[in-house]
Amino acid sequence: MVPLSVAWDDIGGLVDAHERFLAGALVDSTVRDSVLDSWKRCRSAGLQPHQLVVPYAPELTLDDRFLRAADPVLTDLSASFTEVGITIALCDARGRMVQRLGGDRQLRDRLDEVQFAPGFDASERVVGTNGVGTALAQRSPVYVVGREHFADCLQPFACAGAPVRDPFSGRIEAILDLTCLRADGDPAMLRLVREAAHGIEARLLEQSTQRERALLAAYRRAGPDVGGWPRQPRLAAPDQGDGHGVGGLGRIDLAVLREKAEELLASPQRTLDEVVLSGGRVATLLRRPVMGAAGETGVVIEARILGGPRLRQAGSPVARPSAAGAAGGEPLVAESVTDTPPEAAPTAARALADAPAGPAPVTVSTGTAASTATLLPTTPAMPATSAKPVTVPTVTAPPLPPAGTGEDPSARPRVDDRLLLVGEPGVGRLAVLARRRLELLHHAGIRIGTTLDVTRTAEELTEVAVPRFADFTAVDLPDAVLQGDEPGQFGAGTALRRIALGSIHELPHLYGVGDPVHYVPSTPQARSLESRQSVLEPVLVEAEGWLAQDPARLERVLAAGIHSLITVPLRARGATLGVVSFYRSEKPAPFEEDDLSLAQELAGRAAICIDNARRYTREHNTALALQRSLLPRGRPEQSAVDIAYRYLPAQAGVGGDWFDVIPLSGARVALVVGDVVGHGLHAAATMGRLRTAVHNFCSLDLPPDDLLTHLDDLVGRLDRGEGWAVDNNQADSGIVGATCLYAVYDPVSRRCTLTRAGHPFPAVVAPDGTVEFVDLPSAPPLGLGGMPFESVELELAEGSQLVLYTDGLIEDRHRDIDSGLDRLRTVLAHADRAPEDTCEAVLDALLPERPSDDVALLVARTHALGPGQVAQWDLPSDPAVVSRSRAAVTEQLAAWGLDELAFTTELVASELVTNAIRHATGPVQLRLLRDRALICEVSDGSSTSPRLRRARSEDEGGRGLFLVAQLTERWGARYTPNAKIIWTEQPLPRTS
């Protein structure tokens, strides 16, 4: 096998990568992620590859319990390396070397030269990337070879390291490392060191199990003279399987007892506790020390339960398991019964609680003649060890009546004594912490991510963490994440913004919500963002990198009591979104290594929710931008109506509501309101397609019913999948459903023609304030087909208001359509309002604070073209009338002061009248309209459509319509039930 380091150095890959990294260049594709992360941490710590200052601490050691577990494993491992140049290093949880075993003389001398020896610090922040420090920083096994070491002096070596954890607490107790010269390195060293670490952890677990059994055996051997409640050896009948748990206690009662017992086990200053159970029963928990035959020390928790049903009659036969069975791993059952009268228990509990700590027993009168209970207070707290608390099956037995009283035992209140836990104070603390952490994670799963709002999700993280995990929690994100964009790369001085801050009390010295934050490279937050790893600062006073952010401000933070910090990068789906900082102050213990995993779990859950909210924000903003780009911008130039409109997207997401105001020929105007079912990008895109189609159909001057017929046919084709997706593998998802209301208003005749496709009725507000909803003929939504659309024509008085809207205005979850229409009628009954004021009044009265559906509202106040703006002539079908029409046009333009347009308009009118007389049938009519433009219209009774063509040089005719198109700004044709109209528009001359 070719050593990995040799292969790398032969091609110069790591040499160049290391130099490029130190120069600030990108090396992501050249270096392993774990090594690159370590290099970044080393650079953040300010290490110089060519110059290290390694501290020395003499007489380092590990506790005896750990050494007893590690010695056999290290001895066997060292024996296997007698023929190989590999040394074994055992370091403490801070990365300082305690022992070094094996290795030949040359290797040991080389290691001494680089101070990789007992007493010296091998942590990553001191010596850079290596098997000890990097394994500790990453909390996982690592293999580092040659140029992967950050420091120059360590590059001649290859090393593999792995953390050794306490099997119960999960805490890193030590670091095991294998080191050799680079030429002898092999990735298989990683497997060897990992197996050795697992072997030590297994022996720690075995030691704990033996210790637990010794403590339990000591408890079983203890007689009534060792303290606690007086006991007589008696064994209860086993659980009868009635669903009430052991001894008649329900599962909930048992869970409560065990929880309180763990808390009592973890509290060195507390001796007993009282717990109220179901059925009126009360349990008094007693904590007392116990010592095994070999000197093992621990604590037992006993429970006295007063009240409840009797479980069996006294004297029922029971079976006692053999000692051999217990030692062989069978269920261990403790036995404890009492003859202390139940009325003595509360008195005894209070007396013991008030008694001073110490071994002296407390004798309490029970209230009956010659009867006392002796309770032994606990000794001072034992040192915490890794022993696991043992939950022992509870034991029940009938209480014995006092001798010679003749009292019926069944008439007395039930008293049960039980052994609940055997263990050590430190283990109880770990059990309580583990349960609280599980509760916190469960709470976080419920509370974090209830909305798709980035800021609110960050606030939920702070609410969960404070005060159950930290006293202060701050969340910092870049503005890009708040806006839904990708976060980009984080580097030195990346601009962040504090968007959430949770605290147990106000601390003005920390950055506040909304403040911009620029972390300097040495801060834990900047190191977390760059390395994508959590950073623990257990003693902030010593964290110079943290203080460098703002010394004056942060000195005040320290003075306020904050003493430790954990920073965790918010990472989701491979992207870093920001950073969260957890602070503790005053009384809570500083953060420990074990708190890192909980902080990472909290941050990981929050990061996923924040990323979901960010993606939703991006999609929502994209859909909103698409929709706003497709909606009308500004008001079109027309004088038929005064308009005002409002569009409000739903809180749940952008929908497909739209409106439009489209100028038509003859000074008319089309008013459109539509609604596409659904929300999101698809609804917004569909809305744009329909709006474009309506504009195209309007350019043909189709009547309202014909226009909806064409639109219905288009939607039907789309729904049948005649369009194709981009990948050509899936049919278009269609429109699903859409409604539309289309109205055309003519200011000359003051006639309004309306038709609808499944849309709510429009409202007409008369000049006197009367409100009517136009009862348009029923028609299905667009796309269903099969039903013709019918129109209704109204004559509107000048100054009337036509109100068009979507169903989101009048209907929601808490209100039906009828009540919504009634409220709308009430609000509209004010004819003196301008359209803008009408829009505001309607939205204020009908919309909730957070509408569940889109709302489009269009209000149009009608105008009329008076007789002074309209000139009309009925012409016979006689060619001689053409000259008279030219004279009439010239005269009318002179009266309007439009002499500049006389020549052009005379020519246009002459050509159109001539064509009507020559090619059409029926009566001919010439009309001039003076609006924003000068409009010339000629109508006849023919349905023949004019066609613009290019005449050949030998043709005698065919040039008239071409001249009309060249001389006017716009021209076209439209059809009425009885006539065809050719129209032209010319801009009015500008007035000075």
Side-chain angles (χ1 to χ4, degrees), residues 52 100 155 686 845 924:
L52 299 179
R100 193 179 71 185
Q155 292 175 3
T686 299
V924 177

Side-chain angles (χ1 to χ4, degrees), residues 736-801:
V736 179
T739 65
C740 185
L741 174 64
Y742 184 77
V744 175
Y745 174 68
D746 186 348
V748 178
S749 63
R750 293 185 286 105
R751 309 289 294 182
C752 184
T753 306
L754 306 98
T755 187
R756 72 187 182 105
H759 204 81
F761 297 130
V764 175
V765 184
D768 61 358
T770 303
V771 180
E772 291 186 5
F773 290 99
V774 184
D775 188 8
L776 297 178
S778 176
L782 298 172
L784 298 183
M787 294 291 290
F789 296 96
E790 300 182 38
S791 299
V792 169
E793 190 172 79
L794 306 174
E795 184 173 342
L796 302 179
E798 186 174 6
S800 300
Q801 287 192 3

Side-chain angles (χ1 to χ4, degrees), residues 361-693:
V362 178
T363 302
V364 183
S365 174
T366 64
T368 59
S371 179
T372 60
T374 301
L375 308 181
L376 183 62
T378 182
T379 59
M382 300 294 182
T385 71
S386 62
K388 182 177 69 172
V390 178
T391 301
V392 183
T394 54
V395 179
T396 62
L400 301 179
T405 62
E407 178 183 350
D408 182 6
S410 63
R412 300 177 61 195
R414 177 73 180 121
V415 179
D416 294 336
D417 284 352
R418 322 164 171 263
L419 170 65
L420 293 180
L421 286 180
V422 175
E424 299 190 31
V427 178
R429 171 180 170 272
L430 294 175
V432 173
L433 289 177
R435 183 176 62 252
R436 289 176 179 171
R437 288 173 177 176
L438 288 176
E439 292 173 352
L440 180 59
L441 291 178
H442 173 71
H443 187 58
I446 296 174
R447 288 289 309 280
I448 300 176
T450 60
T451 68
L452 287 172
D453 181 82
V454 173
T455 300
R456 180 58 194 149
T457 303
E459 292 172 350
E460 289 169 345
L461 170 59
T462 64
E463 292 168 0
V464 168
V466 177
R468 300 176 66 176
F469 178 67
D471 294 333
F472 302 89
T473 301
V475 180
D476 304 318
L477 302 177
D479 289 337
V481 173
L482 297 176
Q483 298 163 3
D485 300 330
E486 295 294 335
Q489 295 292 328
F490 287 91
T494 299
L496 301 176
R497 187 172 302 279
R498 178 144 299 172
I499 65 168
L501 177 64
S503 61
I504 56 174
H505 57 75
E506 184 177 359
L507 188 65
H509 311 306
L510 291 175
Y511 293 107
V513 174
D515 291 348
V517 184
H518 298 268
Y519 288 112
V520 299
S522 63
T523 58
Q525 290 86 351
R527 287 152 48 200
S528 290
L529 291 172
E530 185 174 7
S531 66
R532 296 171 292 181
Q533 301 289 331
S534 302
V535 175
L536 167 64
E537 292 288 357
V539 184
L540 277 179
V541 177
E542 302 174 0
E544 297 180 358
W546 177 74
L547 288 169
Q549 174 68 25
D550 188 342
R553 175 196 292 263
L554 297 183
E555 286 290 351
R556 294 194 296 270
V557 171
L558 293 175
I562 288 183
H563 53 64
S564 60
L565 164 68
I566 289 179
T567 62
V568 185
L570 292 167
R571 289 186 51 79
R573 302 179 178 95
T576 302
L577 306 175
V579 65
V580 56
S581 304
F582 300 99
Y583 295 91
R584 280 186 181 171
S585 64
E586 300 177 357
K587 293 183 179 179
F591 286 118
E592 303 175 350
E593 287 285 341
D594 295 343
D595 293 314
L596 273 176
S597 58
L598 179 57
Q600 291 166 353
E601 183 69 22
L602 286 174
R605 296 189 181 199
I608 291 294
C609 296
I610 289 175
D611 192 53
N612 290 340
R614 179 190 65 83
R615 290 168 181 264
Y616 169 79
T617 300
R618 180 180 60 186
E619 180 178 344
H620 179 78
N621 291 342
T622 301
L624 188 61
L626 172 63
Q627 187 181 48
R628 292 194 183 281
S629 70
L630 297 175
L631 287 172
R633 298 182 181 180
R635 294 173 172 82
E637 292 187 2
Q638 52 82 35
S639 55
V641 292
D642 290 336
I643 61 171
Y645 53 82
R646 295 290 187 274
Y647 171 76
L648 279 78
Q651 294 295 328
V654 174
D657 291 14
W658 93 93
F659 62 91
D660 226 328
V661 179
I662 307 172
L664 302 177
S665 64
R668 298 170 306 137
V669 65
L671 306 175
V672 192
V673 170
D675 184 2
V676 176
V677 174
H679 295 89
L681 282 172
H682 177 66
T686 299
M687 176 271 292
R689 298 164 80 176
L690 295 186
R691 180 170 177 256
T692 301

Side-chain angles (χ1 to χ4, degrees), residues 738-954:
T739 65
C740 185
L741 174 64
Y742 184 77
V744 175
Y745 174 68
D746 186 348
V748 178
S749 63
R750 293 185 286 105
R751 309 289 294 182
C752 184
T753 306
L754 306 98
T755 187
R756 72 187 182 105
H759 204 81
F761 297 130
V764 175
V765 184
D768 61 358
T770 303
V771 180
E772 291 186 5
F773 290 99
V774 184
D775 188 8
L776 297 178
S778 176
L782 298 172
L784 298 183
M787 294 291 290
F789 296 96
E790 300 182 38
S791 299
V792 169
E793 190 172 79
L794 306 174
E795 184 173 342
L796 302 179
E798 186 174 6
S800 300
Q801 287 192 3
L802 188 61
V803 181
L804 285 65
Y805 51 88
T806 55
D807 58 359
L809 180 69
I810 59 173
E811 181 182 17
D812 61 27
R813 300 182 285 187
H814 309 293
R815 181 180 61 203
D816 58 23
I817 293 180
D818 292 336
S819 62
L821 290 175
D822 291 340
R823 292 181 80 179
L824 179 60
R825 183 193 301 273
T826 302
V827 177
L828 292 177
H830 295 274
D832 56 338
R833 288 198 191 110
E836 287 287 345
D837 297 335
T838 300
C839 286
E840 290 297 329
V842 168
L843 296 183
D844 291 343
L846 275 79
L847 279 192
E849 184 178 353
R850 298 174 64 88
S852 58
D853 195 8
D854 286 22
V855 173
L857 174 64
L858 180 63
V859 178
R861 170 170 285 174
T862 63
H863 294 292
L865 290 181
Q869 295 176 276
V870 181
Q872 181 173 305
W873 300 274
D874 293 324
L875 306 175
S877 296
D878 183 357
V881 79
V882 175
S883 60
R884 294 199 299 271
S885 66
R886 288 198 297 266
V889 166
T890 302
E891 182 180 352
Q892 184 62 53
L893 292 181
W896 283 345
L898 299 177
D899 297 292
E900 297 180 24
L901 301 179
F903 176 78
T904 303
T905 308
E906 179 184 348
L907 180 61
V908 169
S910 174
E911 181 62 32
L912 294 181
V913 171
T914 300
N915 286 343
I917 294 174
R918 178 179 297 177
H919 301 292
T921 60
V924 177
Q925 186 181 78
L926 172 63
R927 186 170 74 166
L928 294 179
L929 303 177
R930 185 188 182 199
D931 190 34
R932 292 179 177 271
L934 178 62
I935 302 171
C936 178
E937 296 181 344
V938 175
S939 63
D940 59 58
S942 171
S943 60
T944 304
S945 176
R947 181 171 62 90
L948 182 67
R949 67 183 182 87
R950 181 180 297 275
R952 292 173 295 183
S953 58
E954 64 270 16

